[in-house]
Amino acid sequence: MDLIIQYIIIAVVFVVALVYIAKRFMPAKKNKGGCAKGCGCAVNDSSAPRS
C-alpha cells in the first residue's frame, strides 16, 4: 500500500514538472501588441493622422 502511494506522488510530481517545462518553453499565444514585432506598442487605425 505504501509503495502505491509513493508511485502516485512520483507520478504527480513528474506531471507537474512536465507541465512547467512545457509552459516555460512554449511561446505565449496571446498577442499584447498591435504590430507583428511583438514590441507591445499600441498601433491601431484610429490613431493614424488623417489627411
Side-chain angles (χ1 to χ4, degrees), residues 14-29:
F14 183 74
V15 169
V16 169
L18 284 179
V19 169
Y20 174 76
I21 290 172
K23 284 187 176 184
R24 183 98 168 147
F25 289 109
M26 294 290 182
K29 298 293 181 190

Side-chain angles (χ1 to χ4, degrees), residues 3-33:
L3 191 60
I4 294 173
I5 294 173
Q6 288 177 358
Y7 282 137
I8 291 172
I9 292 171
I10 291 170
V12 168
V13 170
F14 183 74
V15 169
V16 169
L18 284 179
V19 169
Y20 174 76
I21 290 172
K23 284 187 176 184
R24 183 98 168 147
F25 289 109
M26 294 290 182
K29 298 293 181 190
K30 59 184 174 181
N31 189 4
K32 292 183 180 179

Side-chain angles (χ1 to χ4, degrees), residues 29-46:
K29 298 293 181 190
K30 59 184 174 181
N31 189 4
K32 292 183 180 179
C35 59
K37 290 186 207 176
C39 62
C41 59
V43 176
N44 55 18
D45 293 333
S46 63

